[in-house]
């Protein structure tokens, strides 16, 4: 047989390998691919429009001639149009369009801001090295405005995405693989975090034994029936939760089996409530070990956090003194007693301090508490919660609705007792009943706002509020703080859990 003949001969592959090759060279178009492409396309278009708006504003502020002023052979209008695709490409290179970060967490905003600042630095360096004489005023205006607009645009797109996910749209269908306990825990967490866009629609257990369901999740087979379960559930993601039988060989075989199908494979570690920045992959002898960094409870970034919060609290307190004074007068005219409420709370490392708030209850509220104990709606915890508390005054109800009663706590931040963002400041009676795990809330300063504030406030159960506080202590970051402050304004406007 000649070389020409051999080149036309069909290559004979081992049995079953044809299917593997077919999967590796083709990708089925599933519903999740459709909505992801649609969402990314809308995101890119929105980013492009916002960049154009930022450039137009910068040109108008700096030159006011419609961009006709030029440097070299290029006008600033032309430079603005040239920067649009470059900026979009920078966002792409900075992984600002990676689908797994869209819709939840602060990582998306961090990547957009970081990539944009890097482009700003690159433009300044190129202008200096090649003596392009690009107006510094144009750069100084265009990029800060552009970054602000991009972050606002991403937030708006995220709100639209969350609205769809509340309706059960734009979600990833997850097949959970592992023991019943691990599958149940994963399903519970993903149901709680609906905005993450992950919905457990089926499970494969090491030993099903005829078990029909794990909670609300139907059991679709064993570890050897994952492919059939994927087809039956129309899932696009496999989440390995761990448990008996989930060895490294099984996981490797599963990854090979899913290769080329377009099905995502994720592994849920046993260690939960650890944010991405604290986790890194540490390869050792071919093993991808998870490196978990310690919580950052001191150091330079804590110093930056404290300094920035102190400055904002001082400026905010000075600016809001007239508002606080008027509200205090309204409190005093509405009911007998001092307008300012003082109470002992427990701060960082268990140190007591006096918290300041505008009084929202009758002056004898503490004396009446024992008569209302049996009406406590927070039976699962240590707090007293009552939606229609008769001790709250008319002005106090309005102050609580808009969280204005919290404004005097800015002085607590100035004094160093509290932070702008942190766990809820607990009462001494609560702390006396803390276990070792809950006591970790006291490793940082309590905050005026926090994850509990933007996640439901008084509507949260005791367990949920503790979980959120501990998550913040373990995983705080400057980006997370900025996101919480941003969300606080909308939480106040929604008035959810404000009673």
């Amino acid at each position: 047989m000649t070389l020409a003949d051999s080149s036309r001969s069909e290559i004979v592959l081992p049995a079953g390998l044809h299917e593997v090759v077919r999967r590796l060279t083709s990708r089925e178009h599933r519903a999740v691919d459709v909505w992801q492409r649609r969402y990314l396309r809308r995101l890119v278009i929105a980013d492009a429009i916002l960049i154009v708006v930022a450039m137009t504003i910068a040109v108008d502020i700096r030159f006011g001639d419609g961009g006709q002023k030029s440097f070299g052979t290029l006008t600033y209008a032309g430079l603005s149009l040239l920067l649009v695709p470059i900026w979009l490409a920078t966002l792409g290179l900075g992984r600002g369009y990676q689908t797994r970060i869209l819709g939840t967490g602060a990582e998306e905003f961090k990547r957009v801001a970081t990539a944009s600042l890097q482009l700003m630095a690159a433009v300044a360096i190129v202008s200096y090295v090649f003596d392009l004489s690009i107006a510094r005023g144009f750069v100084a205006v265009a990029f800060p405005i552009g970054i602000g607009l991009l972050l606002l645009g991403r937030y708006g797109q995220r709100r639209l995405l969350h609205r769809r996910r509340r309706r059960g749209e734009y979600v990833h269908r997850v097949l959970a693989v592992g023991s019943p306990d691990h599958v149940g825990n994963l399903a519970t967490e993903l149901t709680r975090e609906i905005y993450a866009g992950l919905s457990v629609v089926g499970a494969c257990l090491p030993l099903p034994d005829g078990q029909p369901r794990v909670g609300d999740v139907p059991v679709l087979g064993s570890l050897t029936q994952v492919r059939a379960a994927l087809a039956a559930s129309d899932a696009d993601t496999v989440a390995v939760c761990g448990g008996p039988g989930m060895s490294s060989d099984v996981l490797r075989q599963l990854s090979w089996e899913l290769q080329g199908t377009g099905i995502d494979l994720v592994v849920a570690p046993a260690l939960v409530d650890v944010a991405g920045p604290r986790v890194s992959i540490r390869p050792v002898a071919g093993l991808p070990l998870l490196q978990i960094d310690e919580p950052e409870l001191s150091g330079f970034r804590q110093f930056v956090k404290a300094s920035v919060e102190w400055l904002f609290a001082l400026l905010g307190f000075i600016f809001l003194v007239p508002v606080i004074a008027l509200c205090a007068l309204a409190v005093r005219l509405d009911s007998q007693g001092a307008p300012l409420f003082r109470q002992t709370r427990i701060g960082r490392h268990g140190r007591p301090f006096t918290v300041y708030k505008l009084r929202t209850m009758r002056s004898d509220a503490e004396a009446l508490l024992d008569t209302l104990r049996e009406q406590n709606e927070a039976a699962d915890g240590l707090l007293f919660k009552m939606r229609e508390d008769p001790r709250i005054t008319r002005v106090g109800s309005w102050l609580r609705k808009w969280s204005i009663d919290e404004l005097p706590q800015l002085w607590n931040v100035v004094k160093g007792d509290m932070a702008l963002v942190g766990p809820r400041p607990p009462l001494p009676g609560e702390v006396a009943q803390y276990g070792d795990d809950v006591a970790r809330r006291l490793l940082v300063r309590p905050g005026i706002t926090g994850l509990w504030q933007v996640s439901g406030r008084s509507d949260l159960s005791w367990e949920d509020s503790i979980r959120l506080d501990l998550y913040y202590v373990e995983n705080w970051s400057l980006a997370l703080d900025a996101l919480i402050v941003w969300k606080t304004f909308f939480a106040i406007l929604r008035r959810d859990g404000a009673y």
Side-chain angles (χ1 to χ4, degrees), residues 267-414:
V267 178
L271 184 61
V272 298
D273 284 342
V274 177
R278 286 183 57 205
V279 181
S280 58
I281 302 295
R282 181 180 177 183
V284 176
L287 297 175
L289 302 182
L290 286 180
Q291 173 77 40
I292 310 297
D293 295 333
E294 290 186 4
E296 195 170 359
L297 303 177
S298 61
F300 179 73
R301 292 207 308 158
Q302 277 282 5
F303 173 76
V304 172
K305 169 183 167 67
S307 301
V308 171
E309 289 186 334
W310 183 87
L311 179 61
F312 274 96
L314 179 62
L315 295 176
F317 184 79
I318 294 173
F319 179 76
L320 292 171
V321 160
V323 176
I324 296 173
L326 287 175
C327 290
L329 178 62
V331 170
R332 184 65 184 84
L333 294 175
D334 182 56
S335 61
Q336 294 294 321
L340 202 62
F341 176 71
R342 297 175 176 86
Q343 190 178 47
T344 299
R345 297 291 180 100
I346 303 300
R348 188 181 185 187
H349 302 320
R351 289 193 292 265
F353 70 95
T354 300
V355 70
Y356 303 101
K357 299 177 68 174
L358 290 170
R359 181 172 57 83
T360 59
M361 290 186 172
R362 294 167 45 175
S363 57
D364 58 349
E366 292 295 325
L368 295 174
L369 182 59
D370 289 337
T371 65
L372 300 172
R373 289 288 185 188
E374 60 184 20
Q375 301 181 53
N376 186 9
E377 298 176 13
D380 59 343
L382 305 176
L383 304 179
F384 180 86
K385 297 180 184 179
M386 189 175 176
R387 291 180 183 273
E388 301 296 333
D389 196 325
R391 300 173 298 165
I392 299 178
T393 63
R394 290 174 300 175
V395 171
S397 176
W398 182 81
L399 293 176
R400 287 191 174 202
K401 183 181 298 183
W402 298 104
S403 298
I404 298 176
D405 60 314
E406 312 279 353
L407 293 181
Q409 292 180 38
L410 290 170
W411 184 245
N412 285 115
V413 179
V414 175

Side-chain angles (χ1 to χ4, degrees), residues 250-262:
V250 172
L251 183 58
R252 182 171 60 248
Q253 187 64 40
L254 181 59
S255 68
W256 289 346
E257 192 173 346
L258 297 178
Q259 189 173 2
T261 64

Side-chain angles (χ1 to χ4, degrees), residues 27 30 32-41 43-44 91-92 94-105 107-108 111 154 158 161 165 170-172 195-198 236-237 262 264 266:
R27 181 186 177 99
R30 294 168 285 111
V32 65
D33 296 323
V34 175
W35 73 253
Q36 282 183 344
R37 287 198 300 270
R38 185 182 300 137
Y39 183 76
L40 285 174
R41 183 165 56 246
L43 205 59
V44 172
L91 292 176
R95 298 181 299 168
Y97 296 108
Q98 197 171 47
T99 54
R100 68 178 181 83
I101 65 156
L102 301 178
T104 182
E107 185 64 21
E108 177 182 2
R111 291 187 184 183
R154 289 299 182 103
R158 178 173 290 196
L161 180 62
R165 285 180 170 171
Y170 282 22
V171 297
H172 295 275
Y195 297 141
L198 296 168
D236 58 78
T237 302
D264 291 329
V266 297

Side-chain angles (χ1 to χ4, degrees), residues 147-165:
I147 293 172
L149 290 178
L150 285 174
L151 294 177
L152 285 173
R154 289 299 182 103
Y155 180 79
Q157 293 289 341
R158 178 173 290 196
R159 296 287 295 177
L160 294 175
L161 180 62
H162 289 176
R163 188 178 304 168
R164 284 186 172 273
R165 285 180 170 171

